[in-house]
Amino acid sequence: MTRTARLHVADRVVDLPLATGTAGDQVIDISTLRDRTGFTTLDPGYVNTASCSSAITFVDGDHGILRYRGIPIEALAERSDFLETAYLLIYGTLPSPAASHAFVTTITRHTLLHEDVKRFYDGFPKDAHPMAILSAVVGALSTFYQDSHNPTDPHQVELSTHRLLAKLPSIAAYSYKKSIGQPFIYPDNALDYCSNFLRMMFAVPTEPSDVNPVAARALNLALLLHADHEQNCSTSTVRLVGSSHANLFASVAAGIYALWGPRHGGASQQVMTMLDTIQADGANVGKYVDLAKDRSHPFRLSGFGHRVYRHYDPRATILKRTCDHVLAALGVHDPLLDVAKRLEEVALKDDFFLSRKLYPNVDFYSGVIYKAIGFPVNMFTVLFAIGRLPGWIAHWREMMQAPAVKIGRPRQLYTGRPAIDYVPMAQRLDGPAAAGPG
Ligand code: CMC
């Protein structure tokens, strides 16, 4: 028996099919609604709307469950690494030893940027935010690699996938070097992905440099934990842009900008600023918890709350545990970790947060680790972007490979003026009344 939802609208009754995935919420398939009834639906923020079918990542926000291609995040955090997880997300299965070797070798060989890319950095102001640079340079890759633009050519998609994964850390490290006036450090392909990135970030040509393996492992874990999170704002952006058949570089550049906002990946930077402020204010966490509860004040606890999780974010659980271990191994004592823990403790005893099911999210503890490694605060969201890249690519490719994907094009509920006459210039009145809504 086909299961349906019956909708009575105006004088019509329509039966809409229900669809069930392999796990998670059931959906009512409304794809024929407008044709059959003349009605569309209104769902600001897509709170109730599944924009696509996807087999990549599963999130159960009520129970704090996250799986990439079916594998629990806890198992991947324990046993996998970032590049293997990237492979898993993009190709759907864990790689065989040969496939893993080939993938890692290919990514490693693409780390170098075209020399002319470096000139872009001369044009950016020294104090430019590295997220702005990251997106601009990723967009500019489409000018250098015009041989891998075609979204329907599997070979070109593969090439742009490898180029992006390989070059994003180089682009990110160069943006940091630009901001502090140091020379760019070329990638060293003898190093693994994270060690190479750390070297490009922190080495100088005049000194010998060793990458701390504790830092490389911690970064590896953090990137893995950020690698995908189904249809979040930036991933939806990548899909939407890609649905016009824009190339992968252009689609990812758009995703980077979407990630930058403080309600999304920008929260990782905001958390550190907030913890700093609280610490400077006598570590008075209660005051800031009260401020976050004040509906007349725009302040929110950064790193708290999530559209999907109504439970502790499993990534935050892992990062919180990792903080203690990494700081101890690096010999760092950061009072901001104490402030963060205290803030969490106070908030999670408060009915405001409990009743709204607001818990620490992935951004709450990541910054403490990044800071201990030596990253400046404005690079935190860049790290999120490097981590999220495999997810963006996986979703973009899944969309391109799906049969008959439509261009993303939502409808609207129009609230502007009805049709009015054009008024010639000579007859228009000056002043706000003339410009205001009529
Ligand atoms: N501090 C204080 N109150 C909050 C917070 C917070 N961090 N988050 C949500 N609320 C309140 C909100 O004011 C609302 O209260 P009320 O029902 O009285 O109006 C209620 O909780 C529901 O919030 P919402 O804004 O309707 O929830 P949303 O699903 O639209 O927004 C969110 C989710 C992540 C944008 C939001 O929780 C937030 O702004 N958090 C802080 C920023 C942050 O940490 N972002 C990172 C998200 S996780 C990683 C990522 O995706 O990048």
Side-chain angles (χ1 to χ4, degrees), residues 275-324:
L275 295 177
D276 257 331
T277 307
I278 298 175
Q279 168 74 0
D281 197 6
N284 185 355
V285 296
K287 175 176 162 187
Y288 290 87
V289 168
D290 287 344
L291 201 58
K293 289 158 53 180
D294 181 350
R295 314 319 291 136
S296 63
H297 200 285
F299 177 76
R300 285 184 169 199
L301 287 189
S302 292
F304 254 76
H306 197 277
R307 167 63 59 79
V308 181
Y309 289 120
R310 302 301 183 204
H311 193 281
Y312 211 103
D313 180 336
R315 302 164 299 174
T317 308
I318 298 169
L319 285 169
K320 183 180 180 187
R321 219 172 34 225
T322 308
C323 276
D324 289 319

Side-chain angles (χ1 to χ4, degrees), residues 52-70:
C52 61
S53 307
S54 178
I56 300 171
T57 288
F58 174 69
V59 181
D60 176 343
D62 293 330
H63 299 99
I65 293 170
L66 169 61
R67 300 185 205 123
Y68 297 162
R69 298 285 188 185

Side-chain angles (χ1 to χ4, degrees), residues 19 25-31 41 43 45-54 230-231 236 239:
D25 294 343
Q26 295 186 61
V27 301
I28 303 169
D29 180 347
I30 60 161
S31 52
T41 54
D43 186 19
Y46 308 117
V47 176
N48 302 288
T49 297
S51 61
C52 61
S53 307
S54 178
E230 47 119 313
Q231 312 308 324
S236 299
R239 277 185 178 263

